[in-house]
Amino acid sequence: MSGIENPLLLDFPDQFETERLILRAPRPGDGAASNAAIRESIDELRPWMPWAQTIPAVEDTEAVYRRNASEWIARTNLGLILWRKSDGLFVGGSGLHRLDWSVPCVEIGYWVRTSLAGQGYITEAVNGITAFAFEYLHAERIEIRCDARNVRSAAVAERAGYVLEARFHHHARAVDGGLRDTLVYAKFPQ
Ligand SMILES: CC(C)(COP(=O)(O)OP(=O)(O)OC[C@H]1O[C@@H](n2cnc3c(N)ncnc32)[C@H](O)[C@@H]1OP(=O)(O)O)[C@@H](O)C(=O)NCCC(=O)NCCS
């Protein structure tokens, strides 16, 4: 098939599950739970996430999620929140970003709250999001990009079966202003 001509008319669920997680589109009211997780995780987020240089106010996080909710409807950016099924705890943030519907291709991003790191939740989420993107968005290409020094992020891509395609040398500025190399991982429909 060709690309998606009018993504506004493409129907897909705004919530789906994996073994231990519920993944759903952001809604008004999600800001407080996310803000608590950002506060807890700020030291691990700061080196890699431009939006996590200082702890945001709860209202700022809430505003981000309200904007994300509107982007979901507009099909311009598909943010996702990960909730633990067993107790409803906010696990982390992810999503399908840099959508190009003409292909379609998309990039997955992610972060985990520090107290839940090292338990495979993000790899599980990436596997679920990958299946979602192939089935519902008809993705022909899914990318994961990370700073070459971000070994924990690269390990997620590799555990999820993504193939390293390229290393872009001096591709961007890191959050500290230094030059960073970017690793590009990709996956394609079977
Ligand atoms: C990148 C990031 C999300 C990775 O988190 P993570 O907790 O290492 O990733 P996972 O949730 O997949 O967990 C993997 C770990 O759980 C272990 N694990 C336990 N149970 C597992 C399971 N069922 N499945 C897979 N892994 C499991 C793995 O062995 C691995 O352990 P290790 O770190 O000792 O090697 C996290 O480091 C982070 O939020 N960093 C800051 C933000 C960031 O850099 N985001 C990416 C920007 S490109």
Side-chain angles (χ1 to χ4, degrees):
M1 71 181 283
S2 58
I4 306 294
E5 269 180 36
N6 188 352
L8 286 169
L9 298 177
L10 184 68
D11 287 318
F12 47 82
D14 62 5
Q15 179 171 320
F16 55 99
E17 293 185 13
T18 59
E19 185 189 347
R20 296 174 294 172
L21 300 171
I22 292 171
L23 301 89
R24 74 154 168 78
R27 294 179 191 153
D30 287 335
S34 175
N35 188 267
I38 294 169
R39 277 171 194 272
E40 170 191 306
S41 313
I42 193 74
D43 290 341
E44 288 72 34
L45 295 173
R46 192 181 290 111
W48 314 114
M49 309 308 251
W51 53 264
Q53 298 311 293
T54 57
I55 294 174
V58 176
E59 293 75 17
D60 294 336
T61 310
E62 177 65 18
V64 168
Y65 284 109
R66 290 185 185 205
R67 188 167 59 246
N68 283 170
S70 73
E71 291 165 348
W72 185 284
I73 302 286
R75 305 300 198 229
T76 54
N77 177 47
L78 304 176
L80 284 162
I81 298 179
L82 320 180
W83 307 94
R84 188 157 66 180
K85 271 189 202 172
S86 61
D87 57 5
L89 194 61
F90 180 104
V91 171
S94 187
L96 291 151
H97 312 302
R98 297 180 206 265
L99 277 153
D100 181 345
W101 290 106
S102 70
V103 178
C105 63
V106 69
E107 178 182 335
I108 299 182
Y110 40 75
W111 63 277
V112 69
R113 76 182 305 159
T114 297
S115 57
L116 296 182
Q119 298 182 49
Y121 286 120
I122 298 302
T123 302
E124 180 177 324
V126 167
N127 284 330
I129 295 166
T130 300
F132 175 89
F134 286 141
E135 179 174 356
Y136 291 106
L137 310 186
H138 309 290
E140 296 290 356
R141 171 185 177 83
I142 307 175
E143 277 188 10
I144 294 176
R145 293 182 172 218
C146 66
D147 187 319
R149 295 168 299 184
N150 194 346
V151 292
R152 295 191 72 87
S153 182
V156 170
E158 285 168 16
R159 269 194 301 273
Y162 280 69
V163 173
L164 180 62
E165 277 192 335
R167 179 183 185 123
F168 294 162
H169 294 263
H170 291 190
H171 173 244
R173 290 280 169 187
V175 293
D176 65 1
L179 289 167
R180 67 168 247 195
D181 291 359
T182 297
L183 301 182
V184 181
Y185 288 88
K187 205 168 195 182
F188 308 93
Q190 299 293 330

